[in-house]
Amino acid sequence: MPNMNALVIAAHPDDEVLGAGGTIASLAARGWHVSILILAEGISLRHAGMSLKAARRNCRTAASRLGVEDVQFGGFSADNKLLADGEQRPVVATIERALTESEPSLVLTHHPGDIHADHRMVAHSVSYATRLLGLGSVSRVLHFEVLSSTEQQPGLVAPFTPNVFVDVTGFIDAKCDALEVYSYETFDVIHPRSVNGIRALANYRGVQLGVREAEAFALGRELVRF
């Protein structure tokens, strides 16, 4: 029987909310222990006045709005380019430490076909770190979609084709509340990375399954023991 620990692994602040905010809130409400690992705080020239301390504080605030208190940081930055342009080894090592500490049965992370290079690096690193499911706690790896990023992949390489859907009816308000913490990463109504975009996608994914609101994932790996 898998344990009730989940680990969400995201490249940057707001990815965890956009990709799996409703699922995170639902799991937490149902008694799961959810941990969030943000590998790179994302501080760069476009974040004028944003300090590392403030960025991490915002991550914790957003997580608390989803019912999560366990937030970890990988320490990679936009400036050292370790995610997109560097070696995979330190990223994998950081993920492996988080897996050892959190002992999750469920891992949620980026999709390997995402248009964003950092997102792809994280997805591939998670796949490497969890390649032998029988030797660790993880029994299922799910890849999420990040609005304004995953759907922008033209489909020529590893298109996002969801085959796992989570009913998050009643938890989209919490997801939108969490996204408000990242106001500097969101845009107005017409942009996909907006509260309107979140609600529209949740409704669309819900319609596909016959529920009011859903989040969609692509199954990466699953170990089933009967």
Side-chain angles (χ1 to χ4, degrees):
M1 182 74 177
N3 64 45
M4 294 178 65
N5 296 338
L7 176 61
V8 182
I9 304 174
H12 316 109
D14 87 341
D15 289 337
E16 80 285 12
V17 177
L18 288 166
T23 300
I24 292 169
S26 176
L27 289 171
R30 287 168 171 77
W32 281 64
H33 179 83
V34 182
S35 303
I36 296 174
L37 170 62
I38 306 293
L39 284 161
E41 285 80 359
I43 303 304
S44 65
L45 293 176
R46 70 188 182 92
H47 297 97
M50 178 63 64
S51 66
L52 181 62
K53 182 178 180 180
R56 291 186 172 184
R57 182 174 63 246
N58 287 345
C59 289
R60 294 189 177 97
T61 299
S64 69
R65 294 187 180 189
L66 299 174
V68 174
E69 300 301 326
D70 184 1
V71 182
Q72 307 166 36
F73 302 97
F76 299 102
S77 72
D79 296 329
N80 62 27
K81 298 182 179 180
L82 271 174
L83 284 184
D85 301 325
E87 288 187 64
Q88 190 177 18
R89 187 180 305 171
V91 182
V92 171
T94 300
I95 291 169
E96 288 176 337
R97 283 195 297 272
L99 291 171
T100 299
E101 293 170 4
S102 302
E103 296 188 331
S105 61
L106 172 65
V107 172
L108 308 176
T109 193
H110 292 279
H111 187 259
D114 198 290
I115 200 170
H116 198 307
D118 282 1
H119 296 182
R120 293 196 303 272
M121 169 65 95
V122 173
H124 295 158
S125 297
V126 169
S127 293
Y128 189 88
T130 60
R131 66 195 182 280
L132 299 174
L133 295 186
L135 300 183
S137 62
V138 180
S139 58
R140 176 181 275 194
V141 179
L142 296 178
H143 299 279
F144 51 64
E145 56 184 333
V146 173
L147 277 167
S148 82
S149 186
T150 311
E151 85 283 4
Q152 297 301 320
Q153 170 60 257
L156 300 176
V157 180
F160 179 75
T161 305
N163 52 11
V164 175
F165 296 80
V166 177
D167 184 351
V168 294
T169 301
F171 294 99
I172 293 301
D173 284 345
K175 180 173 181 171
C176 292
D177 287 345
L179 187 65
E180 286 182 356
V181 176
Y182 300 124
S183 58
Y184 48 91
E185 295 282 5
T186 59
F187 298 87
D188 294 331
V189 170
I190 197 64
H191 196 282
R193 197 159 72 239
S194 64
V195 168
N196 183 71
I198 282 180
R199 293 191 183 279
L201 182 60
N203 291 334
Y204 171 64
R205 293 307 188 191
V207 164
Q208 290 181 291
L209 269 292
V211 300
R212 198 175 75 193
E213 297 163 330
E215 285 181 335
F217 301 85
L219 177 63
R221 282 195 180 94
E222 183 174 33
L223 174 63
V224 178
R225 288 190 168 107
F226 294 110

